[in-house]
Amino acid sequence: MADATTTTDPTEGRLLIAGNWKMHGTSASLAEIAAIDEAAAAAPHCDVVLCVPATLIDRAAGLVRRIAIGAQDCHVAASGAHTGDLSVEMLVDAGASWVILGHSERRRAAALSDREVALRMAAAGSMLRPILCVGETVRDGADWFAGVRDQLLGSLPEDPVHDFALAYEPVWAIGSGRTPTLAEIDDALVRLREVLVERLGGRGRAVPLLYGGSVNAANAAEICALPAVGGLLIGGASLSAASMAAILQAAEAAASVPA
Ligand code: PGA
């Protein structure tokens, strides 16, 4: 029987620290990417991924030695008449090994349904490891989690479900400078873990659970110290190597504390 009560992260104390550059960055930013790669040397217990704009994937992947490069969305088809879209194969070919899927900004801009996110999860398959994003638009009433639960279940493909990470990103916390309380983050991640175990059995325990939404150098340490947190998804604060270095330092301290 799957045990849904586990609250500690299963990744043996490692933390997944993912940056989401959104629509930021040109060739002038390559030096910053190299500096983030350099900063990752001081965080050996962290796995670091930088999800850059598609235009930078190829050059960023050629530059980095310690961190992985990710994309920010993908199309379900391998190729075809889809102006402006990029397939999994193209992103892998460019050097991406991760992809953010179902980010609230993509869900909104492309009017993506949960079903479409699930199809993208399936398309990513084992070639691109997804960071699936879910989160409530507003924290309203006692059953705010019901919508998040539905969003997660609707965004998971039919079997097989390949390896992925799950980011809890309350939409109201993204780019706002506001975060849930630590107890609220922990509670949300524990509940998401229960849904994962319910849906995926024992495999649901191995999915890294990230928190995202206004993470910065000042709050990273306390968030990473929460037992349910398996990593971070960082937007604005991932753009600068200085703030990424500080966040990685905080994450490393939490990751290397023996359980
Ligand atoms: P933020 O963005 O850290 O700037 O709030 C997080 C995200 O959208 O992934």
Side-chain angles (χ1 to χ4, degrees):
M1 241 337 245
D3 171 12
T5 59
T6 308
T7 56
T8 43
D9 184 76
T11 51
E12 304 293 349
R14 292 190 71 76
L15 292 177
L16 175 62
I17 306 300
N20 173 12
W21 271 29
K22 309 192 180 191
M23 199 173 72
H24 296 284
T26 61
S27 49
S29 320
L30 291 169
E32 212 64 29
I33 294 173
I36 291 170
D37 186 53
E38 203 55 49
H45 296 86
C46 297
D47 298 309
V48 185
V49 185
L50 209 53
C51 298
V52 296
T55 46
L56 287 179
I57 291 173
D58 183 35
R59 283 172 291 167
L63 194 68
V64 299
R65 290 185 296 137
R66 300 174 188 85
I67 70 172
I69 296 300
Q72 299 173 8
D73 202 358
C74 68
H75 197 271
V76 295
S79 62
H82 302 290
T83 304
D85 279 311
L86 295 164
S87 71
V88 172
E89 190 176 272
M90 289 167 176
L91 296 167
V92 171
D93 181 56
S97 48
W98 289 80
V99 62
I100 296 172
L101 288 178
H103 190 282
S104 59
E105 287 156 15
R106 290 302 304 152
R107 287 181 189 265
R108 201 169 47 232
L112 283 184
S113 64
D114 294 346
R115 171 90 188 127
E116 281 160 331
V117 174
L119 292 173
R120 288 169 195 215
M121 290 281 289
S126 57
M127 296 212 297
L128 273 183
R129 194 165 170 196
I131 298 171
L132 172 64
C133 301
V134 297
E136 76 282 5
T137 313
V138 284
R139 272 235 184 186
D140 216 2
D143 69 341
W144 63 272
F145 187 73
V148 181
R149 174 193 161 83
D150 288 349
Q151 196 182 32
L152 171 56
L153 289 172
S155 301
L156 289 175
E158 304 296 314
D159 294 332
V161 183
H162 292 280
D163 282 352
F164 68 102
L166 178 66
Y168 168 59
E169 292 210 310
V171 178
W172 54 269
I174 295 176
S176 65
R178 294 192 297 134
T179 56
T181 65
L182 295 173
E184 286 169 341
I185 293 173
D186 203 57
D187 173 52
L189 294 184
V190 168
R191 292 188 198 209
L192 286 168
R193 176 72 72 207
E194 286 171 4
V195 178
L196 286 173
V197 172
E198 180 189 310
R199 168 71 173 80
L200 301 173
R203 284 190 54 219
R205 257 187 248 115
V207 175
L209 293 183
L210 317 187
Y211 169 74
S214 294
V215 174
N216 56 42
N219 61 21
E222 57 187 15
I223 295 173
C224 286
L226 292 171
V229 167
L232 303 170
L233 180 54
I234 311 149
S238 72
L239 290 169
S240 115
S243 78
M244 269 301 264
I247 290 169
L248 284 170
Q249 196 179 14
E252 178 62 19
S256 49
V257 171

